[in-house]
Amino acid sequence: MDAQTQAETGRTWILAPLAGYTDLPFRQACRRQGCRYAFTPLIDAGALAYDRPGNATILLRGDDESWLGTQLLGSDPGLLDRAARKLAPLGFDRVDINMGCPVRKVTRRGAGAALPLDSELALRCIAAVVKGCAGIPVSVKMRVLHPTDPAPTCAVARRFVEAGITGVTVHGRTWEQVYSGPVAAAVIRALRETLPVPVTANGGIFTRADGLALAAATGCRELMVARGAIGNPWVFRELAAPDAAPPSHEDVCAELRRHVLGLVALYGERAAMRRGRRIILSYLCGRGYRHALRRAVGSVADLAAFEELFAVILGEGPSEGYRPEERRRAALELQD
């Protein structure tokens, strides 16, 4: 992370790898609002190893992205090795290993949040990625293993560092908590005080107040924003500046349209609209737009339908004020 960012804010805010969300148009929206450090969506090691269609789109890097990381998902050291070797020439600034996804289709194959529970397998996976990445920094994103006792999380993370990990991002909730409940800031702080590598705190950042509270409670200088950026790229502007104004109706509409047109350019019209419906909804949720407008998003199937709905949204505007708690609830529902 560059010295200028640390000097300006004292903290570094990083956009998390979010499956189905943090593609190039999403990152461009966040970067327009001040995001400097970001990850692609996670990519499955098997998909990458076997050159499945769609890999290039997931890993696509914009010309103006000076820092970009990517994240591998898997629990097979052989596939992770092959995947890492494919990533090595692509110039990513960091390769992260996903050890935190709680989704059942991931954990039932021993990957994601299930992987740290088999520490020997996790260590073999780390060794494979470190070797395959040929000098690219490799990190791990994991969850706390206990909500109050830091010992289990610290013990396994120390072994990860000994295996070659150069940084650890910790989501302060257990696998069982998924995305709800308090963030175990004390456990993250203990990990930061224990490890000789940077520890990034993650969990529950939707506003500047959330981010500053997590930074103070953990002592971490690097913090990762995940669901709080869905439909709200302005969170990065808010995190960087205490006097940042919330986006106006015109700001929301301009960024929404630009984001959707970016999806069309990347995926083509029909595929973009399938992906774009939840993106459109995420911009509207919690900002006072009528429920009827939000329900209408579900019928948007092509660019003409989007433009028609967009004209209504732009002309009508919100009928109520900003509701942070509604945005939090919407993010929980929108996250895969």
Side-chain angles (χ1 to χ4, degrees), residues 169-184:
T169 298
V170 189
H171 184 128
R173 298 185 180 98
T174 64
W175 172 5
E176 294 77 14
Q177 288 177 286
V178 190
Y179 299 110
S180 63
V183 174

Side-chain angles (χ1 to χ4, degrees), residues 1 11 37 81 105 134 153 160 177 186 212 225 234 238 271 289 292 299 308 331:
M1 307 305 170
R11 299 174 185 88
Y37 304 99
D81 174 75
K105 67 181 180 181
T153 308
F160 292 169
Q177 288 177 286
L212 295 183
V225 182
W234 299 275
E238 181 186 352
Y289 294 94
S299 62
E308 182 178 347

Side-chain angles (χ1 to χ4, degrees), residues 26 227-234 252 259 279 282-284 287 327:
F26 189 109
R227 292 170 294 117
I230 297 175
N232 189 29
W234 299 275
V252 171
H259 193 151
I279 294 295
S282 73
Y283 277 87
L284 302 181
R287 292 200 164 96
R327 286 206 54 75

Side-chain angles (χ1 to χ4, degrees), residues 86-242:
K86 290 181 180 291
L87 289 176
L90 300 182
F92 286 103
D93 297 279
R94 184 187 299 176
V95 174
D96 191 77
I97 304 171
N98 183 306
M99 296 194 189
C101 180
V103 176
R104 177 162 173 74
K105 67 181 180 181
V106 170
T107 58
R108 70 186 177 191
R109 57 187 175 107
L115 188 52
L117 303 184
D118 185 343
S119 59
E120 296 304 320
L121 176 59
L123 291 170
R124 294 199 301 274
C125 289
I126 289 170
V129 175
V130 169
K131 182 179 179 182
C133 280
I136 299 173
V138 176
S139 59
V140 161
K141 187 173 188 291
M142 62 183 294
R143 287 172 171 262
V144 297
L145 300 184
H146 191 279
T148 58
D149 181 7
T153 308
C154 289
V156 73
R158 277 195 297 268
R159 297 190 70 190
F160 292 169
V161 173
E162 290 167 0
I165 289 300
T166 62
V168 178
T169 298
V170 189
H171 184 128
R173 298 185 180 98
T174 64
W175 172 5
E176 294 77 14
Q177 288 177 286
V178 190
Y179 299 110
S180 63
V183 174
V187 176
I188 299 176
R189 174 176 281 275
L191 194 65
R192 180 189 64 78
E193 293 171 347
T194 297
L195 297 185
V197 299
V199 171
T200 302
N202 171 231
I205 299 178
F206 290 82
T207 65
R208 177 178 173 82
D210 296 333
L212 295 183
L214 186 60
T218 62
C220 291
R221 293 172 64 85
E222 294 186 6
L223 298 103
M224 184 168 279
V225 182
R227 292 170 294 117
I230 297 175
N232 189 29
W234 299 275
V235 69
F236 289 99
R237 184 173 71 182
E238 181 186 352
L239 288 166

